Amino acid sequence: MNLASTTSAGESGPSWVLVVAVVLVSGLLLAGPALRRRYCVTWWLLIGFPVTAFRVMQTWRPLMAGCGLAVSRRPALIGVPGLVGNGAPPPQPRVPRRGLIRPTSGGFVLLVRLLPGQVPEDFVKAAPAMAEDWQVHAVRVNSWKPGVVRIVASARDPLAAPRVPKQRGPGHLLRVTVGALETGAAWVLDLRRVPHWLIVGATRFGNPRPET
């Protein structure tokens, strides 16, 4: 009797875990639109980023090949005649090696090691294709260090509803946050580093808050 009870409890354990997982996932999917509108950062970290990261991993190799950033391995077959003709699959092209996909509050950051002969400008040209394949608002590429580029993706337009980050701590003298940049980062004026600023604009061409 004890053995049967133990076996039943052991079999029902995984089923309960599966039920709870299904309920949690269903709840997140149902509450997704409301969560995205009200708590966009929370929605992105819980739902948006995992889905986008999976999409990046799935499309990385064909995307690199389609953008001309892959290198064919065909020359390596010259010394092995008949390898492909005997039914062996053709070798996959070499693609730039990517690092971990790290989330940010409104997108993700990715480091990529260049293949020999590649330059950062090659990835800058491919940025629009990356944004289209990954279904994000924008992708920006800059040189991180020799042989490595840094890819920064924005899931949404940070200037559509700009939010000035809250200042933490007592602050710094002659340094003030005045807005947000197109990357989502804070726009900070530091008069200690740059003592002179010229601010110009035109009437009715700003981004005022809507009246309530």
Side-chain angles (χ1 to χ4, degrees), residues 83-154:
L83 179 61
V84 177
N86 291 334
Q92 293 288 338
R94 290 180 60 196
V95 298
R97 188 174 64 184
R98 57 175 177 78
L100 294 176
I101 307 173
R102 296 175 295 171
T104 62
S105 59
F108 63 86
V109 177
L110 177 64
L111 296 180
V112 179
R113 182 169 296 278
L114 307 182
L115 294 176
Q118 292 181 339
V119 293
E121 286 72 16
D122 297 333
F123 284 80
V124 173
K125 295 177 182 178
M130 296 180 191
E132 185 70 22
D133 271 26
W134 299 339
Q135 299 179 21
V136 295
H137 170 69
V139 170
R140 295 175 177 84
V141 181
N142 54 69
S143 180
W144 181 251
K145 63 180 183 179
V148 178
V149 295
R150 183 172 182 258
I151 296 177
V152 181
S154 301

Side-chain angles (χ1 to χ4, degrees), residues 12 19 30 39 48 54 68 71 81 84 118 132 138 181 201:
S12 61
V19 170
L30 292 175
Y39 305 101
F54 179 78
V71 177
V84 177
Q118 292 181 339
E132 185 70 22
L181 300 174

Side-chain angles (χ1 to χ4, degrees), residues 32-120:
L35 187 65
R36 185 175 186 177
R37 289 192 301 269
R38 190 165 185 178
Y39 305 101
C40 55
V41 175
T42 302
W43 177 89
W44 168 249
L45 295 177
L46 290 179
I47 302 177
F49 172 72
V51 173
T52 304
F54 179 78
R55 188 179 297 124
V56 172
M57 291 185 290
Q58 290 294 312
T59 61
W60 182 254
R61 183 174 291 276
L63 177 61
M64 293 296 101
C67 294
L69 297 174
V71 177
S72 175
R73 297 178 185 266
R74 185 172 182 139
L77 298 177
I78 295 177
V80 190
L83 179 61
V84 177
N86 291 334
Q92 293 288 338
R94 290 180 60 196
V95 298
R97 188 174 64 184
R98 57 175 177 78
L100 294 176
I101 307 173
R102 296 175 295 171
T104 62
S105 59
F108 63 86
V109 177
L110 177 64
L111 296 180
V112 179
R113 182 169 296 278
L114 307 182
L115 294 176
Q118 292 181 339
V119 293

Side-chain angles (χ1 to χ4, degrees), residues 156-164 178-182 187 199-211:
R156 56 184 179 83
D157 184 3
L159 298 183
R163 298 181 180 181
V164 179
V178 297
L181 300 174
E182 60 180 3
W187 180 18
I199 301 177
V200 297
T203 305
R204 303 182 66 85
F205 277 84
N207 189 15
R209 294 185 177 180
E211 297 181 0

